[in-house]
Amino acid sequence: MARAGGITNAVNVGIAVQADWENREFISNISLNIRRLFDFLVQFEGTTKSKLSSLNEKLDTLERRLELLEVQVSTATANPSLFTTS
């Protein structure tokens, strides 16, 4: 009878070892995917910052042009004689 118990224990240990390996593999896969996600987010942040910076520069240029046009329109409205030919 002791022999049957030893086999059962060996089977239980084998099952436990197999389950442990499966859990470790699962955890390893999760860790790898989290690392990949983190790397993607870091790259995405860098790309996004660069694109937003470029867009901000373009907006600044457009704002300056708009301000210039507003001054020109204001000047033309206030002094229409500047634009008439006689």
Side-chain angles (χ1 to χ4, degrees):
M1 215 42 161
R3 192 160 194 240
I7 292 173
T8 303
N9 284 340
V11 169
N12 288 341
V13 168
I15 292 171
V17 168
Q18 180 65 32
D20 183 58
W21 275 107
E22 289 171 1
N23 286 336
R24 288 173 188 257
E25 183 179 8
F26 177 74
I27 290 169
S28 176
N29 286 334
I30 295 293
S31 296
L32 177 63
N33 286 325
I34 288 172
R35 245 182 269 124
R36 286 180 180 164
L37 179 61
F38 179 78
D39 290 342
F40 167 77
L41 290 174
V42 167
Q43 180 183 6
F44 180 77
E45 178 191 26
T47 302
T48 304
K49 279 184 177 180
S50 173
K51 289 182 178 182
L52 285 174
S53 176
S54 174
L55 183 60
N56 191 42
E57 289 175 15
K58 290 176 183 178
L59 283 174
D60 287 343
T61 301
L62 287 173
E63 286 174 346
R64 285 192 301 272
R65 286 182 184 174
L66 181 59
E67 288 171 359
L68 176 63
L69 288 173
E70 287 173 343
V71 168
Q72 289 174 343
V73 167
S74 175
T75 303
T77 304
N79 301 314
S81 62
L82 293 175
F83 299 98
T84 59
T85 57
S86 353

